[in-house]
Amino acid sequence: MRQIFHDELEQVATDLVSIAELVSTAIRQATTALLEADVQLADRVIEQDRAIDLRRNDIDARSIDLLARQAPVASDLRTVVASMRMSGDLERMGDLARHVAQIARMRYPEHAVPEDLSETFERMGGIAGRIIDHVVAVITSRDLAAARDIEQIDDELDALHREMFTTLAEGSWQHGTTSAVDVALLSRYFERFGDHAVTVARRVVFLVTGETGSMEPHEDTERR
């Protein structure tokens, strides 16, 4: 019975990696759809978000079942609780990729991002892709040093987010109010994507060390 329990825990970890890989694909495709005004790709991201939601629900249901049947303690309990919380953060990251795709779709056939800001959003999308790849690696390896590296990558997203808001606040904006709202939202979506990645990394640290402070969510990641 104990071996079966640990096999089930391992399957939960494997499924978390699977969700993270879906999120990785989603944010990359959403960024491409945004920059290229690719409505078909945007629709694909929106549709595939359902798969992320379903997998998150499945992980949570199985985790609750494990809690009820096995009453785990110590490190096993940490694994179950942290896994449920990580699945929630990953699902929210998928939602944020969907939000990016929805703006791309809403502005089609026009580009939602002004040409002079395309490079910045391309950088944000690249960093978001890099940070979710680190999340996949950290969930798999439980490497504490790699988990802490995620915060440094997130700092790059935060800097670009601040830069974008400085651009919007300077008073020289020439692309209209609708575009300003789109750009502000898009920048926020990428920034929050990074915040959730940091929270996942902190939950991995909690899982390994049992340090409860590591379970604190990063900034406002509990909000969608």
Side-chain angles (χ1 to χ4, degrees):
M1 288 298 293
R2 198 66 184 164
Q3 184 58 49
I4 292 173
F5 172 59
H6 282 285
D7 288 346
E8 291 175 323
L9 284 182
E10 287 299 319
Q11 185 59 52
V12 168
T14 298
D15 290 345
L16 283 173
V17 170
S18 177
I19 293 177
E21 289 172 343
L22 289 175
V23 172
S24 177
T25 298
I27 195 62
R28 285 181 163 87
Q29 291 183 341
T31 301
T32 299
L34 177 69
L35 296 176
E36 299 182 4
D38 187 332
V39 69
Q40 292 182 337
L41 190 56
D43 284 341
R44 191 182 311 161
V45 174
I46 294 166
E47 176 64 26
Q48 290 178 347
D49 183 57
R50 296 179 184 177
I52 296 173
D53 294 344
L54 288 173
R55 293 200 185 196
R56 183 265 171 101
N57 292 340
D58 181 61
I59 283 178
D60 286 358
R62 284 188 288 121
S63 296
I64 291 171
D65 182 63
L66 285 174
L67 289 172
R69 286 190 296 107
Q70 301 291 343
V73 296
S75 63
D76 289 342
L77 178 60
R78 289 204 305 270
T79 298
V80 176
V81 172
S83 295
M84 292 176 66
R85 295 192 176 187
M86 282 190 280
S87 72
D89 286 302
L90 291 168
E91 187 262 337
R92 290 183 182 114
M93 292 171 81
D95 287 345
L96 291 165
R98 187 191 75 231
H99 293 338
V100 171
Q102 286 172 329
I103 289 183
R105 196 194 196 298
M106 184 167 53
R107 300 305 169 206
Y108 178 80
E110 303 298 326
H111 286 74
V113 174
E115 185 176 353
D116 55 329
L117 295 178
S118 291
E119 182 180 349
T120 300
F121 277 101
E122 184 176 4
R123 289 170 62 195
M124 294 183 88
I127 295 167
R130 183 153 51 95
I131 206 169
I132 185 61
D133 287 349
H134 274 68
V135 167
V136 171
V138 166
I139 293 174
T140 302
S141 67
R142 299 184 183 179
D143 184 326
L144 298 186
R148 294 183 178 105
D149 286 343
I150 288 176
E151 297 207 31
Q152 296 181 0
I153 301 173
D154 180 56
D155 288 342
E156 299 177 41
L157 271 178
D158 291 342
L160 288 174
H161 179 58
R162 289 192 297 270
E163 177 184 315
M164 192 63 65
F165 268 78
T166 298
T167 299
L168 290 170
E170 282 178 343
S172 57
W173 185 259
Q174 300 178 351
H175 304 291
T177 302
T178 298
S179 181
V181 172
D182 286 346
V183 165
L185 286 173
L186 288 164
S187 181
R188 180 62 170 153
Y189 294 153
F190 282 109
E191 186 260 347
R192 289 174 69 192
F193 188 93
D195 286 348
H196 281 291
V198 170
T199 300
V200 171
R202 291 179 178 177
R203 297 197 198 286
V204 171
V205 174
F206 167 80
L207 191 158
V208 174
T209 67
E211 296 175 4
T212 56
S214 300
M215 283 292 285
E216 291 301 319
H218 184 57
E219 296 187 4
D220 61 344
T221 54
E222 290 301 311
R223 292 162 41 192
R224 289 180 181 268

